[in-house]
Amino acid sequence: MSEGSLAIIGMGSNQGDRAAILDAAVAAVKEEPHFHLWTVSRYYETIPVGGPPGQPPFLNAALLLEPALDPLTLLERLHAIEAKLGRVREERWGPRALDLDLLLYGQEVRRTPQLTLPHPRLSLRRFALVPTVEIAPWMLDPLTNLTANELLENLDRRPSLVAVAAADPDDPAESALAAEVHAGLVRALDAEPWRKADAPSPSLGHPVDPRDRAFAAIQAEAHRNAIKTWEGKGLGDRWVAADFSLDLALHRALAMPTVEAEQGGWKAVWRHYTHERAARAAVESALPPTFVVLVGRDAAAIRDAGFPRPVLVPESTHPAEIVSEIVVARHATRA
C-alpha cells in the first residue's frame, strides 16, 4: 500500500428502502476508525445489468476514501458493513440490499482469488463510472492509464466499437475461437462488421523489413477505417464489431526485432522510426474501440501489463458463452 492512496468504493442497493440503506452504509463508513471519507456522490437510479430478469432498479453511488488499510483488509471491512446492513451473498448479480465494491485503490493492480484491482468491469460499467466521475474525474485506471472521465467519454462515443481478437493471432485455435465469437457477436448485436483486409501483396516500394511491413499494414487498415469514415455511416446507436484489434497489432509489431536496422546503419533506423510513428498516428485516427475482447492463454497478461483500451477477458472459453458475456458488457456500457 502506498501512503496516501485514495480508493473509490461503488455502492448499490435494489432491495427495501434503497436510499435509507445507502445512507446507513455511508454512516457506517464514517464510523470506521481507519477510513477517511472525503466525499459521496449523488444517488443514481439504474437498470440492473447481467442478473436474473425482473429485478427492481438499483440506486448506485460512489465514495472517495483515504484508507489507512491495505486493500484486502479494506475489502474485508466493506464486506462486514454489507453483512451488518443485510447483504446475503447468494446469487451473482442478483438482487441485494447492499453492494460495496472496491473499484480502485490508487494504482494497485492485483489478481488474486480474494481481490481483483482495479475492478474487472469498472471501465465498462456506466452505473459505476457516472458517480465516480462526479467525485473524482481525475482518478486513474492503472490498466489503461485513462482517467475516470476519459473512460466515461469512451462509453459516450458513437459509433460504439467492440473488437474481438486472439491474444496470439499465430495460434490457430485462438484465432478460430476469436473468429467464431466475432461471427456470433455480429448476429447477436445486429452489429456492423469490420473485417480486417487481406495483407497487401509485396510490391515496389513495399517495406522489406518484416517489422516495417507490419507497421505499413496497420497504417493501411487504420486509414481505411478512420473515425470520420465511420461517423459518416449514420449508425446511431448500432454497434460496430471488428474481428481484430489495431492496438494489439501495434503492440506485436513493436515487439518484433529490427533486423535491418542492425545491419543498415542510421538510414535503416530512421526508416523504422518513420514507419512506427506513421502507424501510431494512424491508429489514433481510426475508430477507437469502446472495449477489446481478448481470447486465449495470454489475454489476462496482455491486459494487466497495460493496454490503451478497456479490455474484457471472458470467463468462459465456449463461443456462445463468450458472446453472452460481451452482450452483458455492452448493456453495462449504456445502462
Side-chain angles (χ1 to χ4, degrees), residues 310-335:
V311 172
L312 172 65
V313 177
E315 297 177 359
S316 175
T317 57
H318 189 278
E321 293 175 357
I322 294 174
V323 170
S324 295
E325 284 186 58
I326 299 170
V327 170
V328 170
R330 187 279 303 258
H331 285 314
T333 67
R334 302 275 174 95

Side-chain angles (χ1 to χ4, degrees), residues 36-48:
H36 178 78
L37 177 60
W38 280 106
T39 188
V40 183
S41 76
R42 290 173 290 173
Y43 297 171
Y44 295 84
E45 187 163 89
T46 62
I47 299 170

Side-chain angles (χ1 to χ4, degrees), residues 119-281:
H119 191 283
R121 298 290 189 270
L122 172 61
S123 60
L124 307 179
R125 288 181 168 178
R126 179 176 297 277
F127 64 82
L129 284 173
V130 167
T132 297
V133 167
E134 180 189 333
I135 61 173
W138 37 261
M139 198 78 172
L140 274 177
D141 169 26
L143 296 182
T144 61
N145 205 35
L146 297 174
T147 66
N149 191 56
E150 288 170 327
L151 290 173
L152 184 58
E153 288 177 345
N154 177 58
L155 301 189
D156 289 337
R157 189 188 302 110
R158 297 293 183 273
S160 301
L161 166 65
V162 55
V164 182
D168 181 3
D170 296 328
D171 185 312
E174 289 188 13
S175 294
L177 176 59
E180 189 170 353
V181 169
H182 177 260
L185 192 61
V186 170
R187 293 191 297 269
L189 298 183
D190 184 29
E192 181 77 10
W194 170 1
R195 295 184 176 89
K196 185 179 180 183
D198 294 333
S201 58
S203 62
L204 188 64
H206 193 64
V208 174
D209 188 271
R211 188 170 187 257
D212 290 345
R213 284 203 302 273
F215 285 136
I218 291 166
Q219 183 180 358
E221 187 65 41
H223 283 164
R224 193 171 68 89
N225 291 278
I227 295 173
K228 290 183 179 180
T229 300
W230 282 101
E231 288 177 342
K233 295 192 177 193
L235 294 175
D237 273 348
R238 279 189 68 200
W239 280 70
V240 179
D243 64 354
F244 69 104
S245 163
L246 283 171
D247 297 289
L248 181 61
L250 184 60
H251 171 80
R252 287 171 57 82
L254 290 168
M256 294 174 67
T258 56
V259 177
E260 188 183 314
E262 295 174 359
Q263 302 171 351
W266 69 267
K267 289 185 179 180
V269 172
W270 178 253
R271 192 162 53 248
H272 283 305
Y273 170 74
T274 302
H275 282 295
E276 177 184 332
R277 185 176 62 175
R280 286 182 184 273

Side-chain angles (χ1 to χ4, degrees), residues 80-95:
I81 293 172
E82 286 180 340
K84 178 182 176 182
L85 296 178
R87 168 73 182 266
V88 178
R89 293 179 173 269
E90 292 178 341
E91 186 174 15
R92 188 186 191 192
W93 296 339

